[in-house]
């Protein structure tokens, strides 16, 4: 999308009446609230293998810098756009940006893997598969460089159509992660029926697990369940060393959080990566001897 502002304005007019299948509503007040060209960009947050400390990928996260309001929280933007045709344009832009960035990193000798978030409406048609296939082909990237994250609530709207799209993606070799696990509905059904590779434990459980025994129990049993089903488990919201240690002891595969790195622009991620040193487990420092 060369001129996103024009594109979004055009679609914004249409968006006042929700497009087919959404079941949601769009306030026309949302329309002037949508981003213009150059106001949105992707940030990248590292994902680290817990046992080796190796950086295994990044999650791409949308950032909107509003000319007057400053940084707008992505959830606010997604909520405004989700039931309108604008969502598709945003997602298209995200996919284009992320795949182009993967090619840039690859060309710089940095083969990265990226995970991006999609909304329910993006999965109601096969357009997203066609676009991804086309861009991967254009840049000569293999499908295993890319993963899509979906949320459980997103699956409720039209599970059959969503499943068709997910199966196509999966056949292409694109991994699917179930995001925010534990906060939605029918989690077990989803684990059984969807072509998943990964489960991401919601950060609300991870943030509390160092202090709260219930949160820790939920995290531990999710790790065990996902592991038994052959799924990779990622914990998001890992903010400190204690949480990292607990996750490590529980056998969690991958962690993402401020303890390792915040979401950052692509150029900054390159600098972060060149300076990155894996955390070292030092048993004696925080576990004092008994005698
Ligand atoms: P998410 O996909 O679950 O993303 C993880 C969120 O956790 C991100 O919030 C990230 O910045 C935050 N986070 C990461 N590490 C930590 C930590 O250690 N502590 C705390 N407190 N938070 C941490 P963010 O970037 O604000 O995104 C919020 C949500 O907005 C995302 O949740 C996702 O659902 C949605 N979103 C973001 N970008 C996109 C996008 O491109 N497309 C779609 N459809 N949704 C997006
Ligand atoms: Mg996510
Ligand atoms: Mg999440
Ligand atoms: Mg979320």
């Amino acid at each position: 999308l060369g001129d996103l502002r024009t594109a979004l304005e055009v679609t914004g007019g249409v968006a006042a009446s929700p497009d087919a299948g959404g079941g949601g509503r769009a306030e026309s007040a949302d329309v002037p609230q949508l981003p213009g060209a150059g106001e949105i960009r992707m940030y990248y947050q590292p994902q680290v293998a817990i046992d080796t400390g190796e950086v295994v990928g990044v999650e791409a996260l949308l950032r909107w810098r509003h000319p007057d309001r400053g940084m707008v929280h992505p959830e606010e933007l997604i909520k405004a756009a989700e039931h309108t045709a604008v969502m598709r344009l945003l997602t298209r832009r995200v996919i284009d940006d992320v795949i182009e960035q993967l090619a840039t990193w690859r060309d710089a000798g940095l083969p990265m893997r990226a995970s991006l978030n999609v909304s329910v409406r993006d999965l109601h048609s096969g357009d997203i598969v066609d676009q991804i296939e086309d861009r991967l082909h254009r840049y000569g990237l293999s499908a295993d460089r890319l993963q899509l994250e979906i949320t459980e609530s997103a699956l409720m709207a039209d599970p059959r159509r969503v499943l068709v799209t997910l199966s196509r993606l999966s056949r292409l070799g694109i991994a699917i992660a179930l995001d925010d696990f534990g906060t939605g509905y029918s989690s077990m059904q989803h684990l059984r029926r969807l072509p998943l590779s990964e489960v991401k434990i919601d950060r609300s459980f991870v943030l509390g697990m160092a202090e709260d025994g219930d949160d820790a129990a939920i995290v531990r049993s999710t790790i065990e369940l996902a592991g038994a089903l052959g799924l990779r488990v990622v914990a998001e919201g890992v903010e400190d060393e204690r949480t990292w240690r607990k996750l490590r002891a529980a056998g969690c595969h991958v962690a993402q959080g401020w303890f390792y790195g915040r979401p950052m622009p692509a150029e900054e991620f390159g600098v972060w990566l060149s300076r990155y040193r894996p955390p070292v487990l030092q048993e004696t420092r925080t576990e004092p001897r008994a005698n």
Side-chain angles (χ1 to χ4, degrees):
L1 292 176
D3 190 349
L4 187 69
R5 181 181 289 280
T6 311
L8 288 179
E9 268 169 9
V10 170
T11 322
V14 180
S17 56
D19 51 345
R25 66 201 165 83
E27 306 292 349
S28 43
D30 289 340
V31 173
Q33 295 297 315
L34 292 165
E39 291 172 20
I40 64 174
R41 65 184 304 194
M42 301 312 293
Y43 274 41
Y44 297 89
Q45 185 176 33
Q47 299 182 318
V48 174
I50 291 186
D51 53 353
T52 63
E54 183 199 353
V55 177
V56 293
V58 289
E59 178 175 6
L61 294 156
L62 193 61
R63 290 292 177 266
W64 177 18
R65 194 180 287 282
H66 190 278
D68 309 318
R69 296 170 62 202
M71 275 296 194
V72 178
H73 198 273
E75 272 161 354
E76 196 183 317
L77 171 58
I78 302 300
K79 210 174 282 169
E82 203 162 29
H83 296 291
T84 75
V86 170
M87 193 62 231
R88 205 165 300 160
L89 291 171
L90 271 178
T91 301
R92 217 176 277 172
R93 164 76 187 266
V94 168
I95 291 169
D96 280 353
D97 279 13
V98 171
I99 293 182
E100 193 184 346
Q101 186 58 56
L102 284 172
T104 304
W105 277 327
R106 186 234 6 234
D107 296 344
L110 198 72
M112 235 341 115
R113 185 171 182 271
S115 194
L116 59 88
N117 297 279
V118 293
S119 170
V120 53
R121 320 223 356 100
D122 303 319
L123 301 170
H124 281 173
S125 92
D127 292 2
I128 190 171
V129 192
D130 299 333
Q131 187 203 351
I132 289 175
E133 206 173 4
D134 174 79
R135 302 306 190 274
L136 287 175
H137 182 75
R138 183 185 303 174
Y139 290 103
L141 284 162
S142 69
D144 61 8
R145 300 280 109 192
L146 210 61
Q147 174 173 271
L148 300 195
E149 300 189 3
I150 56 175
T151 53
E152 295 178 83
S153 52
L155 301 169
M156 305 316 290
D158 192 342
R160 240 177 327 155
R161 275 206 286 178
V162 169
L163 190 55
V164 169
T165 305
L166 292 180
S167 304
R168 274 190 69 196
L169 287 163
S170 169
R171 261 182 276 124
L172 264 184
I174 292 162
I176 312 292
L178 189 54
D179 203 354
D180 302 346
F181 185 76
T183 59
Y185 305 92
S186 307
S187 313
M188 304 306 158
Q189 291 265 27
H190 291 146
L191 286 183
R192 206 154 53 99
R193 289 199 183 151
L194 299 174
L196 299 173
S197 312
E198 182 179 292
V199 165
K200 296 190 77 174
I201 307 175
D202 191 69
R203 69 179 186 274
S204 59
F205 304 115
V206 178
L207 284 171
M209 73 177 287
E211 314 295 332
D212 186 308
D214 292 348
D215 284 345
I218 290 169
V219 170
R220 276 198 310 272
S221 41
T222 305
I223 292 168
E224 198 174 324
L225 172 66
L229 294 171
L231 300 168
R232 190 165 90 139
V233 193
V234 179
E236 61 178 31
V238 181
E239 292 188 354
D240 54 39
E241 183 174 339
R242 268 186 81 198
T243 306
W244 167 63
R245 285 168 173 278
K246 290 204 162 199
L247 287 165
R248 195 176 200 270
C252 186
H253 305 130
V254 176
Q256 178 184 340
W258 299 345
F259 177 58
Y260 302 94
R262 302 225 175 195
M264 50 200 140
E267 317 79 70
E268 227 175 273
F269 174 75
V271 176
W272 177 90
L273 192 62
S274 66
R275 294 183 184 155
Y276 172 76
R277 296 287 172 276
V280 184
L281 192 63
Q282 290 167 319
E283 295 297 351
T284 46
R285 209 177 68 205
T286 53
E287 315 282 351
R289 298 268 162 85
N291 44 358

